Amino acid sequence: MPVVNADIASELDKVADLLEIEGANPFRVRAYRQAARLVGSLPRSVAEMVAAGDDLDALPGIGQDLAGKIALIATGKHLPLLDELEREVPPGITALLALPGLGPKRVHALHEALGIDSIDKLAAAAKSGQLHTVAGFGPGIEARLVRALAEGAGQAQRVKLATAEQVAEPLLRHLRGADGVLQVEIAGSYRRRRETVGDLDIVASAEPGKPVMDRFAGYEDVAEVTERGTTRSTIVLRNGLQVDLRVVAPESFGAALLYFTGSKAHNIALRQIAMARNLKLNEYGLFSGAKRLAGATEQDLYERLGLTMVPPELREDQGEIDASRQKRLPHLVTLDDIRGDLHMHTTASDGHDSILAMARAAQALGRAYIAITDHSKHVAVTHGLDAARLARQIDEIDRLNAGLKDFTVLKAIEVDILEDGSLDLPDRILRRLDLVVGAVHSAFDLPRGQQTARLLKAMDNPLLNILAHPTGRLINARPGYAVDIEAVMRGARERGCHLELNAQPDRLDLNDTSCRLAKELGLKVAISTDAHATTQLGHMRFGIDQARRGWLEPGDVLNAASLADLRRMLRRDVPAV
DNA sequence: GCCGTTTTCGGCCCGACTGTTTTCAGTCG
């Protein structure tokens, strides 16, 4: 069982947590945190890089020492440093860091004074009123901890982007209606379009002395106001989502938006560029001494730092700063580039609308073509199609196309990839289709090698064109099946197959880092809605968000092509490479 | 622990808010 990047990242984070509680050099702690973040976001398997003899210390922020430690973890060995730290600091203690108001110093103090090394012991101490006997713990902090424990804090889960949008947009409108408000934008990971968000960061500019904070705190959906200042306030909405609002003067709006959009790593890199020029960058602007050089817009700030404006989706310190400096930023795909949609269902299987309804709705969204991809028979609960029913659907689509103007419905299927890698319908019927989308809906728990071989075997069938939701993950609900995604991508490229970025907000599969890997490997990605109703055709935008985070340009996206070009690229007898 | 057209040593992003304080440490983003 190979060690996956997320496991390595979590080991490194654990080291950072424990070092922090021990009071280690904060920059050493940061080095571990940055390494964890880097490893967690690498598209390639670190275990495989180690096996291939790649130099890990060529990675930014990884020196000889960390390279050695990462290689150790990647090969399944124990990290002596971690063992040592766990002897000194009880491992359960790190869970305390997740509580609001508890950082390394206070956790350390609690452990020293009362021997608290777990949430349970903290709860007991709070209940018996011992907490305020610890130096630095007054009634305020005690009350806050008691409340957090009662609410089961420490388990806050990030919410899906689409879910966050549902509460964010009305709040944004509420703030825009406030007296004296000039500009309001949502920043943070929401603006970077991460697949999930931990909280919302809102930046506003306003005329001085206007009651914007009152408007914010008085929002009807507020459960609690946890911080209330003149320039910064924090509320918790009734659904548990925390929202921060920062209000600045108009001349600082761009700087504040830049700062609160992050990511943190991107900001730090920008500040270092500013420092190298003897300038100071903060949320109020870019300064030379006391003189403000820029601040009203992000564009000005980037330009004064010798950079071109970086789209928020790329601000992860993953090479975008160098690309910006060299004017080599990608021209990211936009919703307007999308010409078609290659995965959707109808009433024939588990969809809610007819083929014609889906076609009309897609055309109204500006698409020129769609593919109808109902399930095949193996997914019985969806009333999947057998060969005979698919044959009738083919005829129905032919008749329908004859009556459509400037729009084409492609005959297709989402055929099940069975456990042995064979397809759920015979070639003789698949051959009559315009394209074949294949997907796994069963046997999720195969060993990694076997799952990978299953997908490669499915793609061996020259009738298969697109591998749908390639990892099978459901955000916040189910990890993907174990699979060597890079091997699948290489296999797809050799065979002239393509991979899907499923745009359902709970799938987003391929994810952003896999998209970037696909691009590096020269593989085209189909961004598809997998719509089960006309209303879901709009989910395309969530797919676009992740594609942009994955640096994809229109030329990397299969369904940004015209129908004629698409048909050419779907031909398996002429490999794309 | 990392890193280097100012450095192989001495730096490492910066500010707001809270609570517990009499001028600031800790936490957070």
Side-chain angles (χ1 to χ4, degrees):
Chain A
M1 191 70 175
V3 182
V4 299
N5 290 3
D7 295 336
I8 301 172
S10 112
E11 291 278 287
L12 294 169
D13 261 328
K14 210 184 292 176
V15 172
D17 281 344
L18 295 172
L19 281 173
E20 203 166 30
I21 291 167
E22 279 209 326
N25 177 351
F27 297 106
R28 185 179 173 209
V29 175
R30 199 173 80 181
Y32 279 95
R33 292 230 187 276
Q34 284 176 341
R37 188 180 157 279
L38 174 80
V39 168
S41 65
L42 279 181
R44 290 209 161 82
S45 155
V46 169
E48 282 166 21
M49 290 170 72
V50 170
D54 290 355
D55 282 336
L56 294 181
D57 62 1
L59 296 168
I62 307 295
Q64 289 236 323
D65 181 88
L66 275 169
K69 290 190 169 100
I70 290 169
L72 213 57
I73 302 170
T75 47
K77 298 195 183 67
H78 267 269
L79 199 57
L81 171 63
L82 188 55
D83 293 341
E84 187 185 319
L85 286 167
E86 286 182 342
R87 273 197 299 278
E88 292 161 3
V89 185
I93 212 169
T94 58
L96 297 174
L97 292 171
L99 290 166
L102 282 194
K105 296 277 168 37
R106 286 184 186 141
V107 167
H108 184 76
L110 287 173
H111 186 226
E112 287 289 295
L114 301 174
I116 291 171
D117 59 7
S118 69
I119 301 261
D120 285 348
K121 285 190 188 168
L122 177 67
K127 203 171 172 185
S128 61
Q130 288 177 53
L131 288 187
H132 64 264
T133 64
V134 182
F137 282 76
I141 291 174
E142 188 173 44
R144 190 174 175 191
L145 284 175
V146 168
R147 201 172 57 226
L149 288 165
E151 290 164 0
Q155 302 158 31
Q157 187 166 246
R158 294 176 67 89
V159 302
K160 283 175 264 191
L161 183 59
T163 310
E165 237 182 47
Q166 287 165 14
V167 294
E169 295 302 322
L171 174 55
L172 195 59
R173 282 195 296 277
H174 174 80
L175 290 173
R176 284 190 171 139
D179 179 34
V181 160
L182 303 169
Q183 293 158 285
V184 192
E185 293 293 341
I186 304 178
S189 48
Y190 184 91
R191 183 161 177 248
R192 303 201 312 281
R193 308 311 284 170
R194 281 195 56 178
E195 62 194 30
T196 59
V197 303
D199 60 14
L200 292 176
D201 301 290
I202 303 182
V203 178
S205 66
E207 297 163 14
K210 291 296 182 179
V212 182
M213 286 306 180
D214 293 339
R215 177 97 177 171
F216 182 57
Y219 184 53
E220 58 178 8
D221 201 25
V222 169
E224 188 189 355
V225 179
T226 54
E227 265 183 33
R228 179 66 189 271
T230 52
T231 68
R232 191 173 111 188
S233 294
T234 301
I235 59 173
V236 178
L237 297 178
R238 280 204 274 259
N239 73 350
L241 196 65
Q242 177 178 307
V243 187
D244 297 332
L245 173 65
R246 188 67 182 254
V247 181
V248 297
E251 61 268 27
S252 291
F253 183 75
L257 186 60
L258 178 68
Y259 180 79
F260 287 101
T261 296
S263 64
K264 196 171 185 172
H266 181 85
N267 286 347
I268 289 172
L270 291 184
R271 286 175 181 218
Q272 282 166 345
I273 292 173
M275 275 172 56
R277 298 178 169 216
N278 273 323
L279 305 176
K280 187 173 78 168
L281 178 64
N282 59 25
E283 59 263 56
Y284 300 106
L286 180 68
F287 297 88
S288 175
K291 184 167 181 271
R292 186 201 315 269
L293 303 178
T297 71
E298 288 187 326
Q299 178 99 35
D300 294 344
L301 290 159
Y302 278 106
E303 281 174 9
R304 292 305 295 248
L305 292 172
L307 303 170
T308 53
M309 165 107 165
V310 177
E313 296 92 332
L314 298 186
R315 299 182 192 172
E316 300 289 347
D317 193 24
Q318 299 278 333
E320 76 279 7
I321 292 186
D322 279 344
S324 161
R325 190 185 286 120
Q326 296 160 18
K327 303 199 183 335
R328 285 191 297 102
L329 280 171
H331 298 286
L332 299 178
V333 63
T334 69
L335 194 52
D336 287 342
D337 294 317
I338 296 300
R339 315 276 275 270
D341 190 342
L342 298 177
H343 186 163
M344 67 189 63
H345 299 264
T346 73
T347 49
S349 63
D350 59 347
H352 287 93
D353 295 299
S354 67
I355 300 173
L356 183 60
M358 295 300 275
R360 284 189 173 143
Q363 191 167 21
L365 290 174
R367 316 276 182 263
Y369 56 86
I370 57 172
I372 298 297
T373 58
D374 276 305
H375 285 288
S376 64
K377 63 186 190 325
H378 186 253
V379 199
V381 291
T382 67
H383 194 45
L385 303 182
D386 58 17
R389 289 181 61 216
L390 180 54
R392 285 200 291 280
Q393 190 182 66
I394 288 171
D395 293 339
E396 183 186 350
I397 292 175
D398 279 338
R399 282 195 301 277
L400 201 75
N401 272 327
L404 291 175
K405 193 168 163 8
D406 300 326
F407 193 83
T408 304
V409 179
L410 296 169
K411 293 164 285 192
I413 187 83
E414 180 182 7
V415 67
D416 249 54
I417 296 173
L418 304 181
E419 188 170 342
D420 65 358
S422 64
L423 304 183
D424 186 32
L425 289 171
D427 286 358
R428 61 179 162 76
I429 187 75
L430 297 180
R431 201 169 281 122
R432 293 181 56 196
L433 298 170
D434 294 304
L435 84 152
V436 174
V437 175
V440 163
H441 294 109
S442 60
F444 279 55
D445 52 358
L446 295 182
R448 187 164 182 263
Q450 207 174 322
Q451 196 70 273
T452 306
R454 173 193 193 179
L455 296 181
L456 291 173
K457 170 148 186 253
M459 293 191 291
D460 280 341
N461 185 327
L463 295 168
L464 187 71
N465 301 110
I466 298 171
L467 183 61
H469 40 77
T471 76
R473 66 104 173 237
L474 293 178
I475 297 171
N476 283 357
R478 174 177 85 195
Y481 36 76
V483 69
D484 181 347
I485 196 69
E486 186 173 346
V488 169
M489 286 184 187
R490 290 185 188 282
R493 199 181 68 144
E494 286 161 10
R495 291 164 174 81
C497 272
H498 310 280
L499 263 54
E500 177 183 275
L501 190 186
N502 188 294
Q504 288 282 333
D506 54 354
R507 285 195 184 270
L508 300 176
D509 176 14
L510 301 172
N511 68 8
D512 49 2
T513 54
S514 287
C515 282
R516 193 157 180 200
L517 179 59
K519 182 189 177 84
E520 274 177 35
L521 295 176
L523 197 62
K524 287 200 198 308
V525 173
I527 307 174
S528 304
T529 62
D530 194 359
H532 286 65
T534 53
T535 50
Q536 294 178 7
L537 291 167
H539 285 158
M540 184 64 76
R541 61 199 172 86
F542 295 113
I544 296 292
D545 290 337
Q546 298 311 306
R548 290 169 62 85
R549 289 182 53 81
W551 292 56
L552 297 193
E553 301 176 272
D556 302 313
V557 177
L558 201 60
N559 49 316
S562 67
L563 182 59
D565 287 344
L566 173 74
R567 287 189 190 278
R568 199 167 37 74
M569 289 188 285
L570 288 175
R571 286 181 55 189
R572 289 274 303 259
D573 52 339
V574 273
V577 289

